Amino acid sequence: MPGFAAVPVALALCAGLLTGPAVAEPRNDCRAGPSGCYGLYTYGYSLGLHPSTSPHAVRAQLTDHFWLFPVSGGCAGRIRAGARCELLGGNPVEVEYIGNDFFQINTLPGHQLGRGMHIRFAFSRTLGFHTLTVRAWQDRPTDCTGEAFCNTVNRVFAWGTWRVLAQTLRFSAYAA
C-alpha cells in the first residue's frame, strides 16, 4: 500500500509545521516562521516507528548529545539557546531556540551561505511514526541563495546532510 506510508509522513509534516512553540518567539520577524520571508526549503524525514518515545524525548536526546548532529566544533555535548557552534565545513551557527519538540539555529557571519539563515528542526509523532521536519528560511536572500545554481546546490547538500542526521536519529531514538 504505497499511499498508506505517505499518510503518516504527510500528517507529521503538517503537525511539525503547525506545532506551536514551547517558548515565546518574536512575532514580527522571520524567526517566528517563513511567512513573509525568503523560504529556502522544507524537508521531511521518517525516523521510523517509536511508539513509546515522545517527540520531546527525541529532541532532548539530540540537544543533550549534540555530537549526533553534524557539528565539528564547540557544542559537542548539551546545547542551549545562545550556544555557538561550527557545523561541518567550518560554518558558524548560533542556537536560537530550543522548544519542547523543536530547536532552531541561525547562521552567523562566515557561514558559506551568509548570515541570517534560520533552520528549524521539528520532531513529531503520528500513530507511533516519528518525523523530523527541517525548514530553512532567511530574512532576505544572500548572494548565494538569490542565485539559482547556488540555491540548488544548497538544497541538495542540505537534503543529504539532514538525511544523514535523520538516519542517525532513526536508531538513536530507541535510546531516547
Side-chain angles (χ1 to χ4, degrees):
M1 296 170 55
F4 180 74
V7 171
V9 172
L11 291 173
L13 278 172
C14 291
L17 293 174
L18 299 175
T19 299
V23 296
E25 291 185 59
R27 299 282 183 230
N28 60 351
D29 65 24
C30 292
R31 289 180 287 179
S35 177
C37 298
Y38 184 77
L40 298 174
Y41 56 81
T42 300
Y43 297 126
Y45 304 92
S46 172
L47 302 182
L49 179 64
H50 302 281
S52 61
T53 305
S54 70
H56 167 77
V58 177
R59 191 277 308 149
Q61 181 183 20
L62 180 57
T63 56
D64 289 352
H65 307 283
F66 209 58
W67 56 268
L68 294 168
F69 200 78
V71 63
S72 65
C75 304
R78 177 176 287 168
I79 60 165
R80 60 181 145 269
R84 291 183 175 221
C85 313
E86 276 192 13
L87 299 184
L88 292 178
N91 292 299
V93 297
E94 179 177 29
V95 178
E96 283 189 288
Y97 303 107
I98 299 177
N100 187 51
D101 59 359
F102 76 93
F103 73 97
Q104 183 172 310
I105 60 177
N106 178 36
T107 60
L108 298 172
H111 193 283
Q112 289 174 342
L113 297 174
R115 66 176 179 80
M117 179 171 64
H118 309 278
I119 308 170
R120 177 172 284 204
F121 301 85
F123 302 90
S124 58
R125 182 179 72 191
T126 304
L127 303 174
F129 288 92
H130 281 264
T131 300
L132 165 64
T133 302
V134 183
R135 183 176 59 187
W137 67 93
Q138 290 180 299
D139 305 333
R140 67 201 172 299
T142 65
D143 290 341
C144 176
T145 58
E147 190 221 311
F149 177 76
C150 189
N151 194 20
T152 300
V153 169
N154 171 43
R155 287 170 171 240
V156 169
F157 181 76
W159 179 85
T161 301
W162 307 141
R163 184 172 184 269
V164 169
L165 174 63
Q167 292 298 326
T168 300
L169 294 173
R170 175 182 282 268
F171 297 106
S172 67
Y174 288 107

